[in-house]
């Protein structure tokens, strides 16, 4: 079960998760096998926790993995997940993405 933002409880639907991932990765170099692995990892993580996860926890678990798989798909997914309203939202997220994925420079 997943606790939605409204407080309603809904059965976890792995197929729905994969459909959302397919939409985010459309025309991207991501295979169906990668989507299945990502969905299984999210489901396993949520099950290991033992408690009923919130939809927010599900979304964060997806984002954490999708960022590694494909950054464009990550931005697509996060734009829906966070309800982006304009280009400034994308700029902010790209800045965060760049900051967390840029290699560290060592002076010396």
């Amino acid at each position: 079960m997943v606790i939605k933002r409204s407080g309603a409880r809904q059965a976890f639907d792995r197929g729905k998760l994969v459909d959302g991932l397919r939409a985010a990765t459309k025309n991207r170099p991501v295979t169906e096998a990668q989507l299945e692995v990502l969905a299984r990892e999210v489901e396993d993580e949520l099950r290991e926790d033992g408690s009923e996860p919130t939809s927010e926890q599900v979304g964060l678990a997806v984002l954490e993995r999708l960022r590694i798989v494909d950054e464009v798909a990550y931005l697509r997914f996060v734009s829906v997940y966070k309800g982006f309203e304009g280009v400034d939202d994308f700029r902010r997220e790209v800045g965060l993405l760049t900051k967390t994925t840029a290699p560290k420079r060592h002076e010396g």
Side-chain angles (χ1 to χ4, degrees), residues 74-75 78-100:
Y74 167 86
L75 286 171
V78 79
S79 72
V80 173
Y81 176 73
K82 291 186 177 180
F84 284 9
E85 294 183 7
V87 72
D88 288 338
D89 294 325
F90 280 95
R91 282 189 187 113
R92 182 190 69 246
E93 197 66 40
V94 167
L96 293 171
L97 184 62
T98 304
K99 187 175 185 179
T100 60

Side-chain angles (χ1 to χ4, degrees), residues 52-93:
E52 288 184 350
T54 64
S55 56
E56 181 179 5
Q57 289 170 309
V58 174
L60 291 174
V62 170
L63 287 172
E64 183 179 297
R65 289 163 176 80
L66 193 54
R67 182 173 52 91
I68 295 166
V69 172
D70 187 273
E71 291 177 344
V72 171
Y74 167 86
L75 286 171
R76 290 176 178 171
F77 193 93
V78 79
S79 72
V80 173
Y81 176 73
K82 291 186 177 180
F84 284 9
E85 294 183 7
V87 72
D88 288 338
D89 294 325
F90 280 95
R91 282 189 187 113
R92 182 190 69 246
E93 197 66 40

